[in-house]
Amino acid sequence: MKFSDKEHEIDHSWLFRRMPILTALADRPHTSGELTDRLDHSRTTVYRATAELAERNLIDGTNRGYELTPLGAVIVEQARWFRRSVASAVELRAALDVIDSPLLWRHLSLFADAAVFGIDRGNPYSVTDRLLALAAEATEWRGVYTSAGVSGVVGRGLAAAPADARVDLVGPRERFERSFENAPGGTDAIADSDRVHLTFVDDVPLEAQTFDDTAVLTGFDPDNGFPTVLIETDDPEAVEWVQKLHAFYRSEGERPESTRQLVS
């Protein structure tokens, strides 16, 4: 089967002008008259648009009206992803100034409905407090870390967490060891706990964790490493993405024989 050259001549600006028709057909087949009424277009505009879309193999005419082809359905889905990503970028713009991660940019649509927490003027520890509040309610805390303050948060989080809570984190060994120096208060709690499992890798692309069914991304001040912004969502796809990120780096890393070795 030879594909029409027209299928490869889809101008982006033309395509976005035709998206209302494609989006309508994603719901169900429509006749020309139904498209005219639904979109408040003239009959001439609908006739010309449907002819162009059919010529480019984006829609088919059937006895039920026009409907999307497989190519048309893929384009509608990608357009929805694009719009969701743009909306996410606008909503999360303050956090994106801090969390500079191309990996996050590629998956930004997962966080379209996320809440963003920044530092309160009256409480410089408000982001850390939010992390601890999540830890206090979670029975499973896992993720990847980049900060040199991780042991302090984990140590305080363990103290507040349920007795059966488990922590499974992956990140650079030198960051964790340095965190013991920065926050010695969490050292004993972590070293003496059989609820903390660590895996060391050379680097990870961002700090991302899940607290049960909540996904959290954290950004830090580049000068002092202090947490300054937090993105939080219960979206199942975002939670699954963070968990897969954790699982991937966990499988690539090295586990110490015991956490006590790190502080001895």
Side-chain angles (χ1 to χ4, degrees), residues 94 109 112 124 209 220 222 251-252:
S109 63
Q209 300 165 27
F220 302 87
S251 69
E252 297 289 309

Side-chain angles (χ1 to χ4, degrees), residues 20-38:
I21 289 179
L22 294 174
T23 301
L25 297 182
D27 294 337
R28 62 173 178 81
H30 283 63
T31 65
S32 294
E34 289 172 330
L35 288 172
T36 298
D37 293 339
R38 175 170 175 171

Side-chain angles (χ1 to χ4, degrees), residues 114-167:
V116 178
F117 297 85
I119 290 180
D120 294 338
R121 290 185 179 181
N123 179 12
Y125 300 101
S126 55
V127 172
T128 301
D129 289 345
R130 182 58 190 164
L131 284 170
L132 294 175
L134 291 167
E137 299 180 358
T139 57
E140 187 176 43
W141 171 4
R142 52 179 159 163
V144 295
Y145 68 85
T146 61
S147 73
V150 61
S151 73
V153 174
V154 172
R156 293 169 62 190
L158 278 175
D164 60 344
R166 299 182 67 83
V167 181

